[in-house]
């Protein structure tokens, strides 16, 4: 059995799961306004291993949510994942954060648009079909009333970025799913295992998060 440790820290949700052959066997996560990743991430990993009666030696790979998302959150998650891979001589797998979010929703028609809040009226977003295949590349876009005018079918909006847009995108084709706010390692389990099966690994020495935008220090 293939055992993968999944780490997701791209948003306010600090999420860790252990999966065997693509199925989650244990998960710990918490979403707070204060971004508790630095305090919780290593604790969650240790607690999960203990609860599932596994050790670091049982791991076959470490998977990280690569972004886009919070600069600080991504740095913490990627640094932890790379450190474990170095220490344990394990392959590193990266998974698109928006793809993780898209996989939390199952619909039979229309398109899925996961959105991660990028402050003000800007979001990190992409467009997926109902088969969870990306049909429009990831963008950092400022949303206004004319956004997505070229899409005539139903648009399913998910993520914390979508929550702030309900007074802007009001056409009947926009369908909001407020129950899906943050990406979770629950959805990473299947995605990381699929990459493991085809040896889609990152270079641990040179891998960097997908920030999409340059870091800006708030003063």
């Amino acid at each position: 059995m293939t055992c993968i440790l999944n780490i997701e820290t791209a948003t306010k949700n600090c999420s860790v799961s252990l999966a065997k052959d693509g199925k989650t066997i244990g998960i710990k996560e918490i979403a707070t306004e204060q971004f508790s990743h630095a305090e919780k991430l290593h604790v969650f990993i240790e607690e999960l291993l203990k609860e599932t009666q596994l050790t670091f030696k049982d791991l076959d790979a470490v998977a990280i949510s690569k972004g886009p998302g919070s600069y600080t959150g991504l740095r913490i998650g990627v640094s932890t994942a790379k450190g474990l891979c170095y220490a344990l001589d394990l392959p590193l797998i990266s998974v698109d954060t928006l793809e993780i979010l898209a996989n939390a929703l199952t619909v039979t028609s229309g398109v899925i648009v996961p959105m991660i809040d990028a402050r003000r009226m800007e979001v990190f977003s992409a467009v997926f079909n109902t088969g969870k295949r990306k049909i429009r590349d990831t963008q950092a876009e400022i949303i206004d009333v004319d956004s997505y005018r070229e899409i005539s079918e139903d648009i399913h909006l998910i993520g914390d970025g979508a929550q702030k847009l309900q007074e802007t995108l009001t056409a009947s084709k926009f369908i909001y799913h407020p129950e899906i706010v943050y990406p979770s390692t629950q959805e990473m389990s299947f995605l990381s295992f699929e990459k493991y099966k085809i040896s889609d690994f990152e270079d641990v020495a040179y891998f960097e998060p997908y920030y999409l935008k340059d870091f800006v220090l708030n003063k």
Side-chain angles (χ1 to χ4, degrees), residues 142-192:
I142 297 173
I143 301 297
D144 59 31
V145 294
D146 292 320
S147 296
Y148 302 103
R149 177 164 287 183
E150 73 281 3
I151 300 177
S152 58
E153 54 192 320
D154 287 344
I155 301 173
H156 298 271
L157 300 176
I158 57 176
D160 63 343
Q163 304 306 305
K164 64 183 182 181
L165 301 177
Q166 296 188 50
E167 294 183 2
T168 302
L169 301 179
T170 59
S172 59
K173 68 180 180 180
F174 294 108
I175 302 171
Y176 292 86
H177 297 268
E179 73 278 8
I180 302 175
V181 181
Y182 301 117
S184 167
T185 52
Q186 180 68 49
E187 283 71 48
M188 275 186 77
S189 295
F190 169 77
L191 296 170
S192 60

Side-chain angles (χ1 to χ4, degrees), residues 34-35 48 80 89 92 95 99 111 113-114 116 118 171 181:
Q34 290 74 34
F35 281 90
L48 262 184
T80 298
D89 193 24
L92 175 66
V95 184
E99 184 178 5
V111 297
V113 181
I116 294 175
V181 181

Side-chain angles (χ1 to χ4, degrees), residues 2-5 59-64 81-82 84-94 192 195-197 199-204:
T2 300
C3 185
I4 299 177
L5 173 68
L59 299 179
D60 294 291
V62 177
I64 183 68
K82 290 174 71 170
L84 289 171
C85 289
Y86 270 124
L88 302 170
D89 193 24
L90 294 174
L92 175 66
I93 299 168
S94 71
S192 60
K195 287 200 164 193
Y196 182 88
K197 288 192 293 185
S199 299
D200 186 358
F201 304 141
E202 301 291 347
D203 186 316
V204 178

Side-chain angles (χ1 to χ4, degrees), residues 39-111:
E39 295 81 13
K40 296 294 186 180
L41 183 54
H42 289 278
V43 174
F44 281 176
I45 293 171
E46 292 175 2
E47 288 179 349
L48 262 184
L49 288 170
K50 184 177 181 180
E51 290 174 9
T52 55
Q53 297 183 318
L54 297 172
T55 70
F56 285 114
K57 292 181 179 179
D58 295 309
L59 299 179
D60 294 291
V62 177
I64 183 68
S65 173
K66 70 177 182 179
S70 157
Y71 182 93
T72 302
L74 288 169
R75 292 301 299 177
I76 292 170
V78 169
S79 296
T80 298
K82 290 174 71 170
L84 289 171
C85 289
Y86 270 124
L88 302 170
D89 193 24
L90 294 174
L92 175 66
I93 299 168
S94 71
V95 184
D96 184 320
T97 303
L98 290 169
E99 184 178 5
I100 297 168
L101 192 51
N103 272 265
L105 179 67
T106 298
V107 292
T108 57
S109 63
V111 297

